[in-house]
Amino acid sequence: MTMGGLFDETQVSERTDFVTDHHLILQQVERINPVSYAKTRNHISGAVSYLSPYISRGVISPRQVRESVLRKGCQPQDAEKFFQELAWREYYQRVWQAKGDLIWQDMKQAQADTTHHQMITAIQHAATGIEAIDRQIEHLYTTGYMHNHVRMYVASITCNIGKAHWQQPAKWLYYHLLDGDIASNNCSWQWVAGAFASKKYYCNQENINKYTGSGQQETFLDRPYEDINRMAVPDILKASHMLDLPCRLPTTPLPVIDSNRPTLLYNAYNIDPLWRAQDNVNRILLLEPSHYNRYPVSEKVIRFIIDLSKNITGIQLFCGELHQLRSLYKESKLSPQETFISKEHPAFTHYPGIKDSRDWMYPEVTGYYPSFFSFWKACQKHTRHIPSNR
């Protein structure tokens, strides 16, 4: 297994702001250089695409990104590495579809050699003593972003050096990420920790220096891999605590709707401004307290979600529960099946009514695959037949 694909390879490290205007996002899609991406993606200063928050939030889809690349004349074989990395998110979504809440458990085998189920204090406080790691954790708090390679480093230090179980740290990272995706996040932490892979992933100071551009020495990671695999927990990583992750939603009134028209339900994973854009419907961004009590996110993430929704004409924000919206249809002429329309998603199986399919990159490849590469092998059969200049 290479280092590509874990967490998400369509992201950045040093960027400090992310636009929310749909036209600017589409311009970003057009600027992708898949060849440069393939050569430099593992470096935090590499030519990554800056698109993961928009893909995660359903503003654009991996399929849409792929077709943009092909329209510019790029041959499928030249963009294969980029397409493969896009497919990681789709793979994890298929795992979530198949496994449901089991993605919150060790999926292939129990994480070995753990000492606690808490958050390591030095990680949360950006005080590990590994300068590049601490700097990138602070960058996460400032921007809502962390480069994929750094995420792997953080997970390895937390779970395999610090011996924490992955669940609490995964919740911490998800809480801060603008591109937070429960499936990608949980499965990737499990992959690093050896619960969703055949072995654990380890890093050392030399590798961190290479990909972050740092030159630090004499840290607890400044040793060969054979020593790191069997080292005791460093003192700096021994302190741990249970997380407190408050999630504060805005207070909103009940939306004003026409109860004789259906309502499109948008959520944090579907903020697609092109979805049924011509339909004569009510449009509501629904942020349910019950969902965020279970999957808390930061105020920065909530603001980002709300700002992205402003691309959708006529949308209303409602921070409340679905049953409150149902009450608005008491006098409606619509049948219960006609009342609500949403996109299928494992986090929102409780939505009633019509469920549109998502814009899958490989809609033909469904079900559970035990590894990404078995999934990708099935995808390749379809990739080879995609013409350029679509």
Side-chain angles (χ1 to χ4, degrees):
M1 181 88 179
T2 66
M3 285 191 261
L6 273 296
F7 293 105
D8 191 308
E9 280 289 357
T10 51
Q11 59 209 339
V12 300
S13 171
E14 298 306 325
R15 186 161 180 159
T16 58
D17 68 306
F18 291 86
V19 299
T20 55
D21 180 271
H22 189 237
H23 297 291
L24 296 178
I25 295 168
L26 294 181
Q27 289 176 18
Q28 228 166 268
V29 173
E30 293 301 313
R31 290 196 293 268
I32 295 168
N33 185 330
V35 176
S36 296
Y37 168 86
K39 293 178 179 178
T40 65
R41 64 186 176 81
N42 281 333
H43 295 265
I44 65 170
S45 59
V48 287
S49 74
Y50 300 84
L51 295 179
S52 65
Y54 314 118
I55 294 173
S56 174
R57 302 300 166 195
V59 178
I60 55 176
S61 69
R63 182 186 184 95
Q64 183 180 350
V65 174
R66 181 188 67 187
E67 291 185 348
S68 173
V69 169
L70 293 173
R71 277 197 306 270
K72 291 185 291 185
C74 185
Q75 296 301 312
Q77 63 270 24
D78 295 333
E80 185 171 16
K81 186 59 184 176
F82 182 66
F83 294 164
Q84 184 185 60
E85 301 305 330
L86 286 172
W88 272 96
R89 181 179 293 274
E90 192 148 304
Y91 168 62
Y92 287 144
Q93 288 298 315
R94 293 301 192 186
V95 171
W96 196 3
Q97 278 186 326
K99 297 297 185 180
D101 282 348
L102 290 177
I103 65 167
W104 285 100
Q105 302 175 24
D106 296 349
M107 285 194 293
K108 286 191 174 180
Q109 59 267 332
Q111 179 184 333
D113 198 23
T114 60
T115 59
H116 60 85
H117 283 66
Q118 295 187 324
M119 181 66 196
I120 292 179
T121 303
I123 294 288
Q124 187 170 11
H125 291 174
T128 68
I130 309 295
E131 293 169 0
I133 298 302
D134 294 342
R135 186 164 56 246
Q136 291 301 311
I137 293 172
E138 293 287 2
H139 188 76
L140 167 71
Y141 295 152
T142 301
T143 67
Y145 253 75
M146 181 181 281
H147 187 277
N148 172 70
H149 218 153
V150 179
R151 298 186 199 197
M152 293 177 65
Y153 293 150
V154 169
S156 182
I157 293 167
T158 302
C159 298
N160 303 335
I161 306 301
K163 303 189 185 306
H165 191 268
W166 63 268
Q167 284 179 342
Q168 283 278 303
K171 289 181 179 180
W172 159 77
L173 186 58
Y174 176 79
Y175 179 82
H176 292 286
L177 291 172
L178 295 184
D179 71 354
D181 179 302
I182 291 169
S184 294
N185 192 55
N186 283 18
C187 291
S188 297
W189 276 87
Q190 291 200 51
W191 187 91
V192 170
F196 192 44
S198 59
K199 61 182 180 180
K200 295 173 179 280
Y201 165 77
Y202 286 93
C203 61
N204 68 4
Q205 189 66 53
E206 180 182 13
N207 190 272
I208 291 172
N209 288 346
K210 177 180 178 179
Y211 290 105
T212 65
S214 59
Q216 191 178 10
Q217 296 178 332
E218 300 182 1
T219 70
F220 62 79
L221 287 178
D222 194 12
R223 58 184 71 193
Y225 282 109
E226 56 267 25
D227 291 347
I228 286 177
N229 292 357
R230 55 178 181 263
M231 67 186 287
V233 176
D235 289 342
I236 193 66
L237 301 181
K238 288 182 178 178
S240 64
H241 61 279
M242 291 302 294
L243 286 170
D244 179 22
L245 300 173
C247 185
R248 300 178 179 88
L249 297 177
T251 300
T252 60
L254 273 171
V256 177
I257 67 166
D258 181 344
S259 63
N260 291 315
R261 290 187 291 158
T263 291
L264 292 194
L265 294 177
Y266 298 79
N267 53 58
Y269 288 119
N270 173 28
I271 318 177
D272 180 1
L274 303 182
W275 176 47
R276 292 181 176 256
Q278 305 307 315
D279 287 14
N280 185 20
V281 294
N282 306 292
R283 301 177 189 272
I284 295 176
L285 173 62
L286 178 60
L287 304 182
E288 295 173 282
S290 57
H291 175 86
Y292 289 99
N293 287 338
R294 188 177 185 189
Y295 310 119
V297 296
S298 70
E299 291 184 52
K300 183 186 297 291
V301 172
I302 293 294
R303 287 197 303 270
F304 184 68
I305 291 166
I306 293 172
D307 286 345
L308 286 172
S309 75
K310 295 174 183 178
N311 293 296
I312 302 169
T313 302
I315 197 165
Q316 298 180 72
L317 170 65
F318 179 55
C319 299
E321 300 297 338
L322 181 64
H323 69 82
Q324 295 173 272
L325 297 183
R326 281 176 164 169
S327 69
L328 302 177
Y329 278 91
K330 288 180 179 178
E331 308 299 326
S332 176
K333 299 175 182 177
L334 299 176
S335 69
Q337 182 63 22
E338 297 172 312
T339 301
F340 295 108
I341 304 172
S342 61
K343 285 189 182 182
E344 174 277 326
H345 196 280
F348 305 103
T349 56
H350 62 289
Y351 286 0
I354 298 168
K355 294 190 178 183
D356 291 349
S357 175
R358 282 178 274 172
D359 188 20
W360 295 99
M361 193 173 173
Y362 299 102
E364 310 89 346
V365 185
T366 61
Y368 175 73
Y369 287 78
S371 71
F372 171 76
F373 289 106
S374 60
F375 173 80
W376 179 243
K377 186 175 181 180
C379 294
Q380 283 180 304
K381 297 176 183 177
H382 304 282
T383 301
R384 293 191 187 103
H385 302 295
I386 299 171
S388 59
N389 294 307
R390 291 171 68 93

